[in-house]
Amino acid sequence: MTLLHLFDLDGTLMYGSAAPVEISRQLGLSAEIAELERAFGAQEMGPHQFSVAAHALWADLTPVHVRAAFDGAPWLAGIRDVWQEIRERGDYCAVISLSPSFFVELLLEWGAHAAHGSVFPEVPFTRPVEESGILTPEGKVMVADRLCAQFGVSRADCVAYGDSVTDAMLFEAVPVSVAVNARPYLAERATHVYEGRDLREAYQLVGLTRPGVDAS
């Protein structure tokens, strides 16, 4: 059986941080993004409002900043090892994140078969953010369905990895899920719960609960 592993980015592949936080750090705007993150977490603003506000905050952003943010982010250990093993098994791995596409897509360099984020204009910005391109929790499930069609699998063949309420809908849509350094709300709804800094350990939890494997 071929599996599709679906990874969230912020707080999941990245320990205790998020792409917008790391991007803003490069611009000296940590306090400003912290307030936006707080408001988003408190559901005082939705994904589109957050993205518009972040876009405005990053008016001086350059590709050099983006690369520095990516290279300096607190990634979990073993990401490339896990994705290499997934590939060697003949399975697929993809990243689905509400964070900006220009950051998320850099993970293709590490071996992901696909990487989908909220669609932002090219850096440096000369155009506004379009609401239609901003991912939502519901949108994550829609992207997962498109990836299933692309790779010739179904939701029943998927494993989801996430950390927050924005991953809850995807967790409900697939048979196996791994809460990685997750909020209690999501951990309570996951097949497996992992706390730590090594994706190889989280991946190993899937074990005999791989979809379609009889563990009896």
Side-chain angles (χ1 to χ4, degrees):
M1 165 174 282
T2 300
L3 300 185
L4 171 58
H5 296 261
L6 302 165
F7 296 90
D8 172 54
L9 190 161
D10 301 320
T12 302
L13 295 177
M14 193 182 290
Y15 185 84
S17 191
V21 173
E22 298 304 315
I23 292 167
S24 298
R25 192 192 315 279
Q26 296 298 320
L27 296 167
L29 297 169
S30 294
E32 290 83 351
I33 200 66
E35 174 56 24
L36 292 183
E37 291 277 347
R38 184 207 62 77
F40 182 73
Q43 298 184 322
E44 295 171 8
M45 60 169 53
H48 180 246
Q49 291 171 300
F50 179 92
S51 296
V52 169
H55 176 273
L57 195 62
W58 299 335
D60 296 327
L61 188 65
T62 69
V64 172
H65 292 125
V66 176
R67 175 55 67 175
F70 183 86
D71 291 345
W75 299 105
L76 293 193
I79 294 174
R80 281 172 277 199
D81 294 337
V82 168
W83 291 353
Q84 180 178 347
E85 182 172 335
I86 288 171
R87 283 178 170 269
E88 289 174 351
R89 281 179 174 268
D91 294 336
Y92 298 99
C93 53
V95 182
I96 308 176
S97 172
L98 271 59
S99 276
S101 51
F102 60 77
F103 189 97
V104 178
E105 290 168 4
L106 292 176
L107 286 166
L108 294 170
E109 299 173 3
W110 287 8
H113 288 93
H116 291 268
S118 291
V119 179
F120 271 60
E122 301 81 5
V123 177
F125 300 139
T126 58
R127 296 181 290 112
V129 174
E130 296 185 8
E131 183 171 5
S132 61
I134 302 305
L135 275 186
T136 62
E138 299 89 343
K140 281 193 167 189
V141 178
M142 294 173 64
V143 171
D145 284 340
R146 292 201 301 270
L147 290 171
C148 284
Q150 178 181 341
F151 296 127
V153 300
S154 70
R155 288 187 184 182
D157 307 313
C158 292
V159 181
Y161 304 74
D163 77 306
S164 71
V165 66
T166 61
D167 301 303
M169 288 188 174
L170 188 56
F171 273 37
E172 292 171 1
V174 304
V176 177
S177 55
V178 184
V180 180
N181 299 315
R183 314 297 198 276
Y185 179 89
L186 194 71
E188 292 166 2
R189 290 158 174 76
T191 311
H192 303 285
V193 176
Y194 174 71
E195 296 285 338
R197 298 195 178 199
D198 195 321
L199 189 64
R200 290 166 291 204
E201 296 170 354
Y203 174 68
Q204 288 168 3
L205 290 177
V206 175
L208 289 178
T209 59
R210 287 167 59 94
V213 174
D214 184 358
S216 62

